[in-house]
Amino acid sequence: MGFSALVASALCTFLLPLLLFLAAVKLWDLYCVSGRDPSCPLPLPPGTMGLPFFGETLQMVLQRRKFLQMKRKKYGFIYKTHLFGRPTVRVMGAENVRHILLGEHRLVSVQWPASVRTILGSGCLSNLHNGQHKHRKKVIMRAFSRDALQHYVPVIQEEVSACLERWLGAAEPCLLVYPEVKRLMFRIAMRILLGFQPRQANPDGEQQLVEAFEEMIRNLFSLPIDVPFSGLYRELKESATELLFGGHETTASAATSLVAFLGLHHDVLQKVRKELQVKGLLCSHNQEKQLDMEVLEQLKYTGCVIKETLRLSPPVPGGFRIALKTLELNGYQIPKGWNVIYSICDTHDVADLFTNKDEFNPDRFMSPSPEDSSRFSFIPFGGGLRSCVGKEFAKVLLKIFTVELARSCDWQLLNGPPTMKTGPIVYPVDNLPTKFIGFSGQI
């Protein structure tokens, strides 16, 4: 082969693909810029759109919190990106989030990624709009009235007590908290939300249900491509229920974070126990005392511990909307049809209302309650018309878990402070290995 042929071959092999790639990147940039609404004088938010078609989805899925922190540091409280096949603006900060959440049905509407809509189904509450959403939410709210919650308390207490008893009687000195708590919350959700009682005699069958459901959760946020080995290909839609997602996965995340924070802050745990002692809930002869809504509502400090846990480690990092029309936000335009993600975790991180933000300090919620003066600085359950329908159920469940844990167990985190990851729910990378022993009853 002559020299000219070699040059031509090299050009075809290396240069042509490079030129095609550069051309594709340029066309992608032009496509992203053309999304701007020329009728609005404001510019698009700062940011980058990533690779053609894929956008920045891969970086976000692989790096999660690191990727989001880098974006926030570089671009501030509002920036553009391209996620899950759609141009997207990510928003944080109390005022920005308030504008989005209070603009439901007027400025924005719910718009979860295609993978979420496909797996959960178009008829689930999170994907309904206007009158349909209002009617369905009203029906579901009956299951979370105060009277209904009172009926759930004995069931929750029974399951939590039995679970902690197994932890304390386990032969292995090291217990992985996160999978154990997920199994506990799954049992509670199955009994209360679906009216199904898992059989104690068939733990393998129960574990198969848990694993099937968790496979669905792992694939909620995946690339919108229906091909073998992608999340959308797996036939799990028939077992997917929105109530199980809200009542199992998110509460498991929060309960695991409670174990972690109380394990790292023994002084806080002791203050919880002092509150229980004042209410007559700590003495050994009252160890099995039945709880009820009236007693739970009196445990103010315990409630603040849960709030502080949700502030520092909200299970759900944010929510998805779509702009119904071009809207103006903080000096930028968000074009009609673009996705809008409001960030819960970042909004908590940047809230001016909280001092010493990285410190675990439940007393900050004692009085006055911060969310009363700026309710969009603290939004673990979202806000507006689409705030979490089961938030009161979650609060009761987490409070019972905290009470039973504090009056039954002492524990040690074997790996120290955990590294948290989002996928899509927040969880500890190491599953929180912990050693539990019985609580002596003395404080």
Side-chain angles (χ1 to χ4, degrees), residues 71 89 210 238 256 372 374 436:
K71 286 286 188 178
V89 172
V210 173
E238 295 300 321
T256 302
D372 291 340
S374 181
F436 287 89

Side-chain angles (χ1 to χ4, degrees), residues 30-227:
L30 291 173
Y31 158 74
C32 295
V33 172
S34 67
R36 181 183 178 279
D37 185 346
S39 67
C40 178
L42 297 177
L44 290 170
T48 56
M49 307 298 270
L51 297 172
F53 179 74
F54 292 101
E56 297 186 313
T57 303
L58 293 177
Q59 296 99 305
M60 198 277 287
V61 169
L62 293 174
Q63 297 178 333
R64 293 286 182 178
R65 181 163 286 187
K66 181 180 178 181
F67 170 80
L68 298 176
Q69 288 174 342
M70 179 272 292
K71 286 286 188 178
R72 185 179 84 194
K73 183 177 180 180
K74 188 171 183 179
Y75 299 116
F77 290 6
I78 175 171
Y79 58 84
K80 69 176 183 287
T81 179
H82 201 282
L83 298 173
F84 307 109
R86 301 281 301 174
T88 300
V89 172
R90 197 163 187 272
V91 171
M92 66 199 73
E95 283 304 307
N96 290 335
V97 169
R98 179 189 65 81
H99 196 73
I100 297 300
L101 292 180
L102 295 186
E104 188 74 33
H105 304 320
R106 178 173 54 88
L107 301 177
V108 299
S109 182
V110 68
Q111 179 72 30
W112 290 93
S115 54
V116 176
R117 299 196 304 272
T118 301
I119 291 176
L120 289 184
S122 59
C124 73
L125 182 65
S126 295
N127 289 326
L128 293 178
H129 300 84
N130 300 317
Q132 286 184 315
H133 175 265
K134 184 178 181 180
H135 173 72
R136 181 73 62 83
K137 185 172 183 177
K138 184 178 180 180
V139 171
I140 294 177
M141 285 296 292
R142 296 175 190 167
F144 300 117
S145 67
R146 192 180 186 281
D147 288 342
L149 292 174
Q150 176 61 58
H151 288 294
Y152 303 155
V153 170
V155 177
I156 298 172
Q157 187 176 8
E158 176 189 331
E159 289 290 347
V160 172
S161 297
C163 175
L164 296 180
E165 187 176 340
R166 289 194 299 272
W167 290 6
L168 293 172
E172 295 294 328
C174 172
L175 184 141
L176 297 178
V177 171
Y178 184 51
E180 289 288 333
V181 169
K182 282 198 291 186
R183 185 166 179 171
L184 165 64
M185 297 303 172
F186 190 82
R187 288 184 61 86
I188 293 172
M190 290 286 282
R191 287 187 63 178
I192 291 177
L193 301 179
L194 298 186
F196 173 76
Q197 172 122 24
R199 297 191 308 177
Q200 292 278 7
N202 187 20
D204 291 339
E206 177 184 322
Q207 186 60 28
Q208 289 175 358
L209 285 175
V210 173
E211 290 173 358
F213 186 75
E214 289 175 358
E215 181 66 40
M216 181 203 77
I217 297 300
R218 282 193 293 271
N219 290 309
L220 270 181
F221 293 90
S222 54
L223 287 174
I225 312 171
D226 191 4
V227 296

Side-chain angles (χ1 to χ4, degrees), residues 235-409:
E235 297 297 319
L236 296 168
K237 289 181 286 187
E238 295 300 321
S239 63
T241 68
E242 189 176 16
L243 287 176
L244 270 182
F245 173 65
H248 153 62
E249 199 78 12
T250 57
T251 52
S253 170
T256 302
S257 294
L258 275 166
V259 174
F261 283 125
L262 290 176
L264 293 169
H265 300 275
H266 195 258
D267 58 323
V268 175
L269 177 59
Q270 291 296 80
K271 290 182 74 170
V272 171
R273 286 170 171 164
K274 286 180 181 178
E275 182 175 64
L276 298 180
Q277 187 178 55
V278 169
K279 301 299 180 183
L281 298 172
L282 194 65
C283 298
S284 58
H285 63 274
N286 281 332
Q287 198 79 350
E288 297 301 322
K289 182 174 180 178
Q290 293 297 308
L291 300 172
D292 57 38
M293 287 296 295
E294 183 178 355
V295 170
L296 291 173
E297 288 165 351
Q298 295 172 9
L299 300 177
K300 301 299 184 184
Y301 184 75
T302 302
C304 291
V305 171
I306 293 169
K307 286 182 179 180
E308 182 70 341
T309 298
L310 296 175
R311 181 186 73 84
L312 284 169
S313 188
V316 179
F320 286 76
R321 300 290 187 270
I322 188 171
L324 296 176
K325 61 182 180 180
T326 298
L327 57 100
E328 300 180 3
L329 185 64
N330 201 21
Y332 300 107
Q333 67 159 276
I334 301 178
K336 178 181 178 180
W338 280 38
N339 280 355
V340 181
I341 298 178
Y342 73 90
S343 173
I344 293 174
C345 53
D346 285 318
T347 296
H348 290 180
D349 286 347
V350 304
D352 292 332
L353 195 63
F354 302 120
T355 59
N356 302 317
K357 296 181 180 65
D358 295 333
E359 178 185 343
F360 184 74
N361 177 23
D363 286 287
R364 73 172 82 243
F365 282 98
M366 284 298 284
S367 180
S369 185
E371 64 267 32
D372 291 340
S373 57
S374 181
R375 58 194 174 111
F376 291 98
S377 291
F378 179 70
I379 50 170
F381 299 104
L385 295 175
R386 290 188 177 272
S387 61
C388 176
V389 69
K391 63 182 178 181
E392 297 304 322
F393 171 73
K395 291 175 184 177
V396 168
L397 194 162
L398 292 172
K399 190 170 278 190
I400 294 173
F401 177 79
T402 305
V403 169
E404 295 298 331
L405 185 70
R407 69 181 186 176
S408 301
C409 304

